[in-house]
Amino acid sequence: MPMSAPASLPPYVRPAPTRQDLEYAPLAALDFSKLDKPGGKEELVADLRAAIDTVGFFYVKNSGINDSEVLQQLALGQAFFALPSEEKEKHSCDFTVGRYFGYR
């Protein structure tokens, strides 16, 4: 069972969809529900290869991660990046000991 977010953590609120008429890049969908079906892993690998070769971007659906878990992670990220730079720098990565990016 996922851990709940601290009570003091402000909830993440998704921004409203844009009202602008924009051209969007096509995205390929990788459907993880195929994993449990006969031949599904092979089909998913082919889908991934096609997405990378033809589109360059993809998204995953039917991952088993529910929306409340996603919103919790977004709330944690939002809270962290709202901290002052001095606080975030306490958690910066030491690039001399590994291949890290950003904060830990």
Side-chain angles (χ1 to χ4, degrees):
M1 173 166 272
M3 291 178 52
S4 60
S8 62
L9 187 65
Y12 179 81
V13 178
R14 287 187 171 100
T18 183
R19 295 176 183 250
Q20 298 294 317
D21 184 23
L22 301 172
E23 274 190 53
Y24 290 96
L27 291 177
L30 299 181
D31 187 352
F32 273 28
S33 68
K34 293 179 180 181
L35 285 172
D36 295 328
K37 297 178 181 172
K41 290 180 180 126
E42 294 79 5
E43 187 178 346
L44 195 54
V45 167
D47 293 346
L48 175 61
R49 183 172 285 122
I52 292 170
D53 288 346
T54 61
V55 180
F57 298 93
F58 60 89
Y59 68 95
V60 174
K61 64 182 187 175
N62 298 318
S63 67
I65 301 171
N66 67 47
D67 198 50
S68 64
E69 293 170 311
V70 171
L71 291 174
Q72 179 181 341
Q73 291 302 309
L74 291 169
L76 288 166
Q78 177 178 265
F80 176 78
F81 285 104
L83 293 171
S85 293
E86 298 79 33
E87 184 64 26
K88 289 185 286 199
E89 288 170 3
K90 293 178 186 176
H91 306 283
S92 63
C93 294
D94 182 355
F95 294 102
T96 63
V97 295
R99 299 165 75 184
Y100 304 104
F101 295 95
Y103 304 100
R104 331 179 254 128

